[in-house]
Amino acid sequence: AQSVTQLGSHVSVSEGALVLLRCNYSSSVPPYLFWYVQYPNQGLQLLLKYTTGATLVKGINGFEAEFKKSETSFHLTKPSAHMSDAAEYFCAVSEAGGYNKLIFGAGTRLAVHP
Amino acid sequence: DTAVSQTPKYLVTQMGNDKSIKCEQNLGHDTMYWYKQDSKKFLKIMFSYNNKELIINETVPNRFSPKSPDKAHLNLHINSLELGDSAVYFCASSQGSGLATDTQYFGPGTRLTVL
């Protein structure tokens, strides 16, 4: 069965530092890949997604992610962290050719300190 | 304007009770979903409906029954509530027929606490 692994349940960075949140998936057939953000006591908001085409995907709020098939990875990055980036980040996949059943990773809590 | 709304936002109830959570979307989407987020923040899909037809039904106890009166609404009814049902329940919607590439838009969540 498809699974998603997010390395690091908590990541802490300084304001202005690089943000790197890791995501690996298990399927041998590349799935569709998503990153969602959840601010405290709110629902999830899509940051970006990869379906086909260019493997470097740009999203909202300055985030981007690169699909690397050889590494079965879809890591999320942002060059310079802002205090407002503090949130829970979820990587998710859905199977190509299937219904829109998102399978989520366990999430990474990003803390940004001054 | 709220895109995906859920009521109530908080629900506290006793074991054994029956309760419902309502979800409405004003995005004109054809597909709606219910997810459960447990205390460790793990999110898992429960159900999905496309144009009032059930298309995804995960291994969820039959105490949970979704109902879609029209494509803008997807309600979740839970019978005989158990302690383990305590969680945050999220409704979501997406355009189209529920393809794997579609973006899902999430509601704010309903925090259910079973005492």
Side-chain angles (χ1 to χ4, degrees), chain A residues 36 38 43 49 90 94-95 100, chain B residues 37 98-104:
Chain A
Y36 279 85
Q38 184 179 25
K49 68 179 179 181
F90 292 94
S94 63
E95 290 185 2
N100 198 347
Chain B
Q37 186 176 45
L99 297 178
T101 52
D102 294 340
T103 297
Q104 294 185 28

Side-chain angles (χ1 to χ4, degrees), chain B residues 2 4 7-8 12 15-16 19 28 33 46 48-50 56 67 71 78 80-81 83 87-89 92 94 97-98:
Chain B
T2 304
V4 182
T7 52
V12 181
M15 268 197 310
K19 291 292 179 185
Y33 312 79
M46 301 172 70
S48 176
Y49 272 74
N50 173 251
I56 296 174
K67 283 186 173 51
K71 72 176 191 178
I78 316 171
S80 304
L81 278 154
L83 293 176
V88 180
Y89 292 84
S94 67
S97 57

Side-chain angles (χ1 to χ4, degrees), chain B residues 30-32 48-55 71 96-98:
Chain B
D30 291 330
T31 306
M32 297 183 73
S48 176
Y49 272 74
N50 173 251
N51 276 323
K52 303 193 297 174
E53 301 252 347
L54 182 67
I55 58 172
K71 72 176 191 178
S97 57

Side-chain angles (χ1 to χ4, degrees), chain A residues 33-111:
Chain A
L33 298 149
F34 304 78
W35 274 101
Y36 279 85
V37 61
Q38 184 179 25
Y39 297 103
N41 298 315
Q42 292 187 29
L44 283 75
Q45 180 183 8
L46 181 73
L47 278 176
L48 47 81
K49 68 179 179 181
Y50 171 79
T51 56
T52 59
T55 55
L56 182 62
V57 181
K58 294 189 186 300
I60 62 171
N61 301 339
F63 284 93
E64 62 182 37
E66 186 171 11
F67 167 57
K68 292 187 177 181
K69 183 179 176 181
S70 60
E71 298 177 9
T72 61
S73 69
F74 191 55
H75 301 332
L76 182 71
T77 60
K78 181 173 179 177
S80 176
H82 193 272
M83 298 294 288
S84 61
D85 294 327
E88 191 90 25
Y89 291 80
F90 292 94
C91 181
V93 303
S94 63
E95 290 185 2
Y99 278 120
N100 198 347
K101 183 171 81 171
L102 287 175
I103 298 167
F104 284 89
T108 297
R109 170 77 52 93
L110 176 66

